[in-house]
Amino acid sequence: MKRADVVELFTRLRELNPHPTTELAYTTPFELLVAVVLSAQATDVGVNKATKKLYPVANTPQAILELGEEGLKKYINTIGLFNAKAKNVIALCRLLVEQHHGEVPRTREALEALPGVGRKTANVMLNTAFGEPTIAVDTHIFRVANRTGLAPGKDVRAVEDKLEKVVPAEFKRDAHHWLILHGRYVCKARKPDCPHCPIRDLCRYKHKTVE
Ligand code: SF4
């Protein structure tokens, strides 16, 4: 995609949503981290329902450790893969208490060393909790980047590297959320809403849907 088109694409997404953010509910970096870990292969709405009950009871690593794995499961058992996720969250809390004084670390290296935290989650934390211009490529961003021709790539890392190069600095911090929301609500996996898409004329997808 030509640079002028990239600028136009993000200018339009920004006009529609000047202050985009995550749909996960959180008030602290730790709450966001646990929500992101719980959100793998689950919906944000489902995670928010669970954390709405969990966080008033336990929203620090120490408090969740005190709940224990079984106690934690009672709050998250409506979320897919909750057994494995409970184990991960407990291990995560233990490591935060033992190595980081109960705080969420701010470096990629330390984040990726946490149980259940991969590159994508680290990018979400760096971007959304700490304000860094990272782009976490999830399934929505991967699809949008490839369909539109913005940053085509055969795997998520290739798309992330391409986005890193092509997204202009002024849009970088929010690009992550604009692209996710666009993929979630407009450029949907099975049937993209091309007729009502605000970037239709810029998009290179060959199989655009019609009314
Ligand atoms: S025109 Fe269609 S394929 Fe292209 S970004 Fe919009 S919804 Fe997605």
Side-chain angles (χ1 to χ4, degrees):
M1 195 179 276
K2 285 183 291 187
R3 187 172 168 82
D5 287 351
V6 174
V7 171
E8 181 61 25
L9 183 153
F10 283 108
T11 300
R12 287 187 203 172
L13 295 180
R14 180 171 62 188
E15 270 168 20
L16 291 168
N17 186 359
H19 305 291
T21 188
T22 176
E23 295 187 311
L24 287 169
Y26 72 99
T27 60
T28 63
F30 176 71
E31 286 189 2
L32 179 62
L33 179 58
V34 171
V36 175
V37 169
L38 294 177
S39 73
Q41 294 176 51
T43 65
D44 288 0
V45 174
V47 171
N48 290 344
K49 264 191 198 156
T51 57
K52 197 175 169 191
K53 291 188 184 139
L54 171 66
Y55 289 159
V57 178
N59 74 339
T60 63
Q62 189 60 43
I64 290 185
L65 276 181
E66 282 164 18
L67 270 186
E69 199 173 311
E70 292 309 312
L72 174 60
K73 279 183 196 172
K74 288 185 190 140
Y75 291 94
I76 66 169
N77 62 12
T78 48
I79 303 173
L81 309 174
F82 72 92
N83 280 314
K85 287 175 182 173
K87 203 176 281 280
N88 269 336
V89 170
I90 292 291
L92 173 67
C93 291
R94 188 164 293 125
L95 208 136
L96 289 176
V97 168
E98 287 171 358
Q99 296 187 10
H100 299 284
H101 311 289
E103 299 291 325
V104 178
R106 286 173 168 248
T107 66
R108 174 186 300 286
E109 199 185 15
L111 283 164
E112 287 187 13
L114 299 171
V117 176
R119 185 175 178 88
K120 191 180 84 180
T121 301
N123 275 332
V124 172
M125 292 305 297
L126 290 170
N127 178 279
T128 307
F130 303 129
E132 293 195 23
T134 56
I135 302 178
V137 178
D138 72 346
T139 177
H140 298 300
I141 296 190
F142 183 75
R143 184 173 68 251
V144 171
N146 273 294
R147 279 182 179 165
T148 54
L150 172 66
K154 63 181 185 330
D155 55 39
V156 291
R157 188 59 199 268
V159 168
E160 183 186 325
D161 291 345
K162 200 73 170 273
L163 285 169
E164 190 60 43
K165 279 198 200 117
V166 301
V167 179
E170 69 170 303
F171 301 110
K172 234 175 207 163
R173 172 149 176 224
D174 291 325
H176 168 78
H177 292 117
W178 282 318
L179 295 175
I180 285 186
L181 295 170
H182 184 68
R184 192 175 283 169
Y185 297 111
V186 182
C187 194
K188 292 171 275 193
R190 284 171 62 190
K191 191 165 186 262
D193 189 9
C194 304
H196 302 106
C197 175
I199 55 169
R200 184 186 160 86
D201 56 317
L202 306 170
C203 169
R204 306 263 182 80
Y205 191 48
K206 288 202 183 93
H207 310 287
K208 287 182 189 137
T209 57
V210 289
E211 290 278 16

